[in-house]
Amino acid sequence: MVRTQAVTFSKTGGPDVLEYVDIDLPPPSSGEVQIRHAAIGLNFIDVYFRTGLYKTPHLPFVTGKEAAGTVTSVGPDVDGFAVGDRVAYAGSDGAYSVERNIETKHLEKVPDGISLETAASMMLKGMTAQYLLNRTFKVGPETTILFHAAAGGVGLIAGQWAKALGARVIGTAGSKSKVRLALDHGYDHVIDYNTENFVERVHEITGGEGVDVVYDSIGRDTFPQSLDCLKRLGMFVSFGQSSGPIENFTLAMLAQKGSLFATRPTLFTYIATRHELTDCANALFDVVSSNKVRININQTYPLREVGRAHADLESRKTTGTTLLIP
């Protein structure tokens, strides 16, 4: 039994419900390894669980879905992993911890040349960008995209990746500094939605045609305007709801606005099998190792100050990637 620390909450609510506590960690079970985290990624999905927007399987609950660290112990019936391996994951609850046990089906080994901090900052966000651009809608040289929250963690990765695929890349952001940041990460045009009408600007930029696909993780504040940015037969990809859930969305709206397509994907569906997870992770490792996509860690917080990190994320004070350091 190992004495370690984790962040838990026993009731849903604001950042103040998060508690940094001591826990007893048993040896890893069959198919598990024990890892010590080097860094933990902060994501909006963590907020959704904390507030109750997404239901937790039980309370108290240790949230967090993305981290990287080193294997310290190996349980029975484990193949392919050994003590000392550098590993990372996205998708397994419980990342807000100094040490933890985790099933090896969630893990990928981190290649040499990529730090554990970089791995922790990019697994969930980078694999999200991978499936959005390569599977949900296959982006290529003939594609024009609109990506909301361009200066966010997924947005900064997606802008560079889409540009590497040859697309014309339009983004939105909420301040002059965030606009500049996005322009430095692959975007051809970035619209400040606080001072400009993004629907009008999209049509100006595209000569009235609209875009092939809109990637929207904002939700309530950008709907239904996102649909108005699409060309005929375009696709609306809603993959988050940082401003709140979309309401009053009827199928007839898609017909009225040009026989549009709409989807609500999640990363965890796209990496449901071991083969899909490995392919997705390897594609991410490749674009980062080749410097087509650079990962910027823009904020770090001690794990015990996770409440402050959540408050800053929700108030949109952060840009790009944020790490929690145990």
Side-chain angles (χ1 to χ4, degrees), residues 9-13 17 43-65 91 93 124 128 131 216-220 238-246 263-269 310 314:
F9 57 91
S10 299
K11 61 181 180 180
T12 57
V17 303
N43 295 282
F44 239 103
I45 193 171
D46 309 342
V47 174
Y48 299 157
F49 279 109
R50 191 207 74 219
T51 61
L53 182 62
Y54 288 0
K55 185 173 176 58
T56 63
H58 53 77
L59 290 173
F61 184 68
V62 179
T63 191
K65 285 185 172 289
D93 294 321
L124 192 147
T128 295
Y131 86 77
D216 191 336
S217 63
I218 296 177
R220 181 183 295 153
S238 172
F239 69 101
Q241 47 196 24
S242 62
S243 68
I246 292 173
T263 184
R264 179 59 174 90
T266 69
L267 170 63
F268 313 117
T269 306
H310 272 229
E314 289 180 276

Side-chain angles (χ1 to χ4, degrees), residues 45-197:
I45 193 171
D46 309 342
V47 174
Y48 299 157
F49 279 109
R50 191 207 74 219
T51 61
L53 182 62
Y54 288 0
K55 185 173 176 58
T56 63
H58 53 77
L59 290 173
F61 184 68
V62 179
T63 191
K65 285 185 172 289
E66 174 186 47
T70 304
V71 175
T72 57
S73 179
V74 176
D77 305 315
V78 168
D79 293 319
F81 292 91
V83 171
D85 283 347
R86 302 163 68 247
V87 295
Y89 63 91
S92 176
D93 294 321
Y96 282 15
S97 54
V98 177
E99 296 171 86
R100 70 167 299 183
N101 297 328
I102 185 170
E103 292 180 279
T104 58
K105 68 180 183 181
H106 299 296
L107 295 177
E108 289 292 331
K109 293 182 182 178
V110 178
D112 293 340
I114 295 178
S115 71
L116 289 176
E117 290 77 14
T118 297
S121 70
M122 73 180 189
M123 291 299 287
L124 192 147
K125 291 171 278 290
M127 290 197 297
T128 295
Q130 194 279 339
Y131 86 77
L132 289 174
L133 300 174
N134 294 283
R135 295 183 66 190
T136 303
F137 187 100
K138 194 161 183 61
V139 169
E142 303 302 316
T143 311
T144 300
I145 77 170
L146 173 64
F147 210 102
H148 287 302
V154 179
L156 292 181
I157 295 173
Q160 298 172 82
W161 204 328
K163 197 62 187 173
L165 292 170
R168 178 164 59 159
V169 191
I170 305 170
T172 67
S175 69
K176 289 182 179 179
S177 61
K178 289 184 177 182
V179 167
R180 288 194 297 270
L181 183 62
L183 286 170
D184 193 39
H185 287 77
Y187 288 85
D188 298 297
H189 307 273
V190 183
I191 303 161
D192 186 339
Y193 56 74
N194 284 325
T195 60
E196 301 176 280
N197 182 308

Side-chain angles (χ1 to χ4, degrees), residues 20 37-40 117 297 299-304 323-326:
Y20 188 79
H37 286 142
I40 301 153
E117 290 77 14
I297 301 168
Q299 298 85 206
T300 61
Y301 300 79
L303 179 59
R304 64 174 61 248
L323 288 183
L324 306 171
I325 305 299

Side-chain angles (χ1 to χ4, degrees), residues 194-275:
N194 284 325
T195 60
E196 301 176 280
N197 182 308
F198 72 80
V199 177
E200 292 179 358
R201 283 290 292 127
V202 164
H203 284 280
E204 288 175 8
I205 293 166
T206 62
E209 287 189 3
V211 299
D212 297 286
V213 56
V214 174
Y215 295 106
D216 191 336
S217 63
I218 296 177
R220 181 183 295 153
D221 287 355
T222 48
F223 187 84
Q225 300 97 309
S226 285
L227 300 182
D228 296 322
C229 295
L230 288 164
K231 63 175 62 171
R232 180 175 57 89
L233 306 179
M235 178 175 282
F236 172 59
V237 181
S238 172
F239 69 101
Q241 47 196 24
S242 62
S243 68
I246 292 173
E247 297 172 342
N248 303 316
F249 188 177
T250 63
L251 283 175
M253 197 179 292
L254 299 176
Q256 295 161 3
K257 294 181 181 291
S259 295
L260 305 178
F261 296 84
T263 184
R264 179 59 174 90
T266 69
L267 170 63
F268 313 117
T269 306
Y270 278 82
I271 58 171
T273 69
R274 180 80 226 184
H275 175 74

